[in-house]
Amino acid sequence: MVKYSFRWPNITSFNKHNPTLETFSREQEEIYRKIDQKFCGQDRCKFLLPVSITEQESKAQLHFRQLAFMAGKIGRTIILPNVHNSHFGACLPHSFDFYYDDNWLKNNQNRFNYITMEDFQSWIQARHDAGVIPTGQEIFLQRSQRSKLLKTTGNCFQDSFDFSGRPTVNYQIPDHPNPPKNMNLTDIIMRLLSDEARQHEYLDQSLISANLPRVKIPPVDVINLFYDRRYQFIVNRKVNEPISYNKRWEDIADKISKQLKPYIAIHWRMERLEPVSNLLPCAINLVNEIQKLEGSSQNGHPKVFLLTDYPHLLNSTNAVPESKSFLPNELKTEHHEAIRYLYQHLNVSLTTIQDQEIHYEQLPKENWNLIPIDTGEPVNQIDRSILGIIDKLVAMRAQWFFAGSPGVCAKASSFTRRISSSRSLAYKNGDENIIVPLKIFDFKQKINTT
C-alpha cells in the first residue's frame, strides 16, 4: 500500500558514516529548553515545515488545512508557509498573511498549534546563536506516481538544520477521491510522520540496542515536508472550512461589487478544454441565457463580471493568459472567437494588475471594461495571483453566478466549487443579495440550475 524509498541527501550537515549523537551537557539542554519554551511552550519544539505544497491556491489551501490538523495529531507545530503566484511553500517571497487573515487559525487552536515563518526563523537563529543546532529530516509525501513538480523543488532551509543520520525519505501512497473502507489514510499518514518512524529511520540502528550511557537517538526537531497529493486524507468539517482572505483584498472586492451591482459573475476556465470547437457554441448559449435573465429581471440590465484564464488584455501588447499553466501558444482561434462573441453581446468587466502600461487603443472601444488593481508591491515582485483572490471574492458577492459545464464548456475547477459553495451557503442562510447561487451553461438548449 505504501511504497518506501530513501536516498542520502546532498546536504552539508549530513553524515551517514558518523551520525551526530545527543551528548548535550545539562547546561546546553537548559539553553535549548529556555529557547524552545519561549517559542513553542514546551521543553523541545517539534515543527512541521511545508517546504512545498503543490497545486494552486484553492486546492493548496485545502492541503495546508489538512496538514495543520495532522500536525496537531502527531504533536507538532505547523509553520505557516509563505505564498506566491497561487502556491504555498517555505521559500516563497510573501508571508501567509499576505493572502489570509488568521480567523481560521485562531478558531482551531484547540486542534493544532501554529507559528509564523518570521517567528520560526527567529527560533532557528536563537538555536544557532546558542550552539544547539536544530535537527531535521526531509520527507516527500506523494501519490503512487512520483511528483515531477517536487523533483525540481529546492529547500532554502537546508543549511539551517543538522540532518546527520537522517536519510531523505519518500513515501508514495495511493491517492483516491473515495479510498476503500479498509484504507484509513489518516492513520497511515500519522504513522509515517510519527516520532516512532523518525527513530526507526535513524541510520545507526545498533545504537538503539547498545544501551550506551548518555547516548540518545536525537529527535527530529523539524520535518521538512514536500507534499504532492490531490485528495483529502482527513475527514473533518473544520478541515473543509476555507481560510478567509486578508481584509485588504476583501475591501477591494467590496468596492468593486458596490460599483457593479447588480451584476452577473461568470467563471470560464478555458485552459486545456477539449474539443475547443465547443467554445463558441457555449458562448452563444451563455449570451442567450443572460439575455433571457436580463429581460425578466426587476433590476434592469445587470453588468457582467468575467473571471477567466483567457488574457484580460485580449490580443494587445503584453497580453498573456491569466493562468501560469495556460501557455500563450495554447491559445487557439476558437478561444478568441468565444471571448469576442461575449463582448460583442454583453457589457463585460474584468480586473487587471496595475503594473504596466495598458494599451487601451488596442482594446475594444466598448463592452470590455478593465478594473485596475494596485497590489501595493514593487513592480518586480508583483503577485499576479491576487487577481484570482479578488475575482473570487467579487464573484461570491454577485447576484447571479454562471459557470461552464465541466468537460463541455470548461475545465472542472476547485475555484468554481469554492465560489459556488460560499454562495450556496449564503443563499441557504437567507442572504437576499444572492438571487441565483449557480447556473451551469453548456451548448445545449437545456440549462441546469443548482
Side-chain angles (χ1 to χ4, degrees):
M1 184 180 297
V2 177
K3 186 177 180 180
Y4 171 84
S5 60
F6 69 92
R7 59 181 172 81
W8 311 132
N10 184 24
I11 299 172
T12 305
S13 67
F14 178 81
N15 187 339
K16 70 176 180 178
H17 299 296
N18 185 26
T20 300
L21 301 179
E22 286 244 312
T23 56
F24 289 143
S25 67
R26 288 184 179 180
E27 291 78 10
Q28 288 176 306
E29 289 181 353
E30 186 60 28
I31 290 171
Y32 80 64
R33 283 197 190 102
K34 285 182 178 179
I35 294 171
D36 289 12
Q37 279 286 349
K38 175 183 175 182
F39 284 92
C40 55
Q42 55 193 50
D43 285 347
R44 187 143 188 175
C45 292
K46 295 196 299 179
F47 291 115
L48 179 62
L49 172 65
V51 177
S52 180
I53 300 175
T54 60
E55 295 206 278
Q56 296 192 34
E57 192 268 329
S58 293
K59 289 295 290 293
Q61 187 193 132
L62 169 62
H63 298 318
F64 166 75
R65 298 194 305 262
Q66 293 188 99
L67 292 175
F69 270 61
M70 177 54 65
K73 288 178 179 291
I74 61 174
R76 289 186 176 269
T77 296
I78 188 78
I79 299 150
L80 302 185
N82 286 350
V83 296
H84 187 66
N85 280 343
S86 282
H87 288 93
F88 288 21
C91 305
L92 298 177
H94 294 302
S95 61
F96 192 78
D97 61 1
F98 183 70
Y99 282 4
Y100 305 107
D101 72 15
D102 59 2
N103 288 333
W104 184 85
L105 298 168
K106 289 180 176 177
N107 290 340
N108 289 289
Q109 280 186 307
N110 61 329
R111 296 173 174 86
F112 61 85
N113 294 321
Y114 67 91
I115 187 173
T116 66
M117 187 64 70
E118 182 180 9
D119 285 346
F120 174 64
Q121 290 172 318
S122 296
W123 171 78
I124 292 174
Q125 188 62 53
R127 281 289 215 103
H128 278 252
D129 290 345
V132 280
I133 310 301
T135 59
Q137 184 175 14
E138 291 188 331
I139 297 177
F140 287 70
L141 201 56
Q142 310 181 65
R143 298 175 289 166
S144 298
Q145 187 174 1
R146 285 204 179 193
S147 170
K148 294 180 180 178
L149 296 172
L150 294 182
K151 190 175 182 180
T152 58
T153 300
N155 184 359
C156 59
F157 282 91
Q158 278 193 348
D159 295 332
S160 299
F161 311 120
D162 178 4
F163 289 93
S164 295
R166 303 289 179 183
T168 293
V169 174
N170 174 52
Y171 298 123
Q172 293 172 246
I173 312 168
D175 199 17
H176 300 287
N178 298 298
K181 291 183 178 179
N182 64 345
M183 181 188 292
N184 189 325
L185 286 175
T186 303
D187 286 349
I188 291 171
I189 292 176
M190 277 183 65
R191 290 198 298 271
L192 295 179
L193 297 180
S194 67
D195 292 343
E196 290 75 16
R198 306 286 68 75
Q199 180 171 335
H200 178 74
E201 288 166 354
Y202 191 69
L203 283 175
D204 196 343
Q205 287 293 299
S206 64
L207 293 172
I208 297 176
S209 57
N211 197 27
L212 298 174
R214 296 186 57 77
V215 173
K216 296 185 293 184
I217 302 299
V220 174
D221 295 325
V222 184
I223 291 177
N224 293 240
L225 184 66
F226 298 75
Y227 187 89
D228 186 8
R229 293 176 60 77
R230 297 294 175 267
Y231 301 109
Q232 280 189 249
F233 64 84
I234 290 182
V235 180
N236 186 297
R237 180 176 58 84
K238 292 289 185 180
V239 168
N240 292 332
E241 290 181 3
I243 305 173
S244 51
Y245 293 106
N246 185 303
K247 186 177 184 299
R248 179 181 180 184
W249 314 129
E250 296 273 1
D251 289 345
I252 291 175
D254 279 336
K255 183 178 179 180
I256 294 172
S257 178
K258 289 174 182 176
Q259 291 171 346
L260 293 175
K261 191 174 181 179
Y263 64 103
I264 301 162
I266 302 168
H267 183 219
W268 199 347
R269 183 185 177 191
M270 295 181 165
E271 177 189 356
R272 293 196 295 270
L273 176 69
E274 295 291 344
V276 291
S277 58
N278 285 7
L279 289 169
L280 181 56
C282 288
I284 293 171
N285 180 264
L286 173 59
V287 168
N288 289 340
E289 292 303 318
I290 288 178
Q291 288 176 341
K292 289 178 188 176
L293 180 67
E294 290 180 355
S296 61
S297 173
Q298 299 293 318
N299 300 305
H301 297 285
K303 300 181 182 71
V304 169
F305 181 74
L306 179 62
L307 305 78
T308 181
D309 48 7
Y310 182 89
H312 291 192
L313 299 181
L314 299 178
N315 292 318
S316 66
T317 304
N318 299 326
V320 293
E322 303 301 322
S323 169
K324 291 287 185 183
S325 55
F326 194 179
L327 302 178
N329 62 8
E330 294 174 342
L331 284 169
K332 308 298 182 186
T333 301
E334 290 84 354
H335 295 102
H336 304 313
E337 289 176 342
I339 293 296
R340 188 181 305 117
Y341 190 86
L342 285 189
Y343 69 73
Q344 286 175 344
H345 295 85
L346 300 172
N347 185 17
V348 179
S349 294
L350 311 89
T351 56
T352 187
I353 293 289
Q354 193 173 315
D355 64 335
Q356 58 189 355
E357 181 183 358
I358 298 174
H359 296 270
Y360 287 100
E361 73 280 2
Q362 300 175 15
L363 298 172
K365 290 183 170 52
E366 57 184 8
N367 288 352
W368 194 260
N369 310 294
L370 295 176
I371 305 171
I373 303 296
D374 181 7
T375 66
E377 305 166 89
V379 172
N380 62 343
Q381 296 178 18
I382 283 179
D383 187 343
R384 298 189 64 84
S385 64
I386 290 301
L387 277 191
I389 290 175
I390 293 172
D391 283 357
K392 188 186 299 184
L393 293 169
V394 174
M396 289 175 183
R397 291 156 167 78
Q399 285 64 64
W400 300 267
F401 179 54
F402 282 76
S405 177
V408 179
C409 289
K411 290 292 290 183
S413 170
S414 56
F415 190 96
T416 303
R417 289 192 291 273
R418 172 72 179 92
I419 297 169
S420 174
S421 61
S422 173
R423 292 175 57 82
S424 295
L425 180 61
Y427 185 76
K428 290 175 182 176
N429 289 336
D431 187 344
E432 296 181 356
N433 183 63
I434 308 294
I435 298 174
V436 175
L438 172 65
K439 184 170 276 192
I440 303 295
F441 68 89
D442 54 25
F443 60 76
K444 301 174 184 177
Q445 291 299 313
K446 182 180 178 182
I447 287 284
N448 302 314
T449 303
T450 304

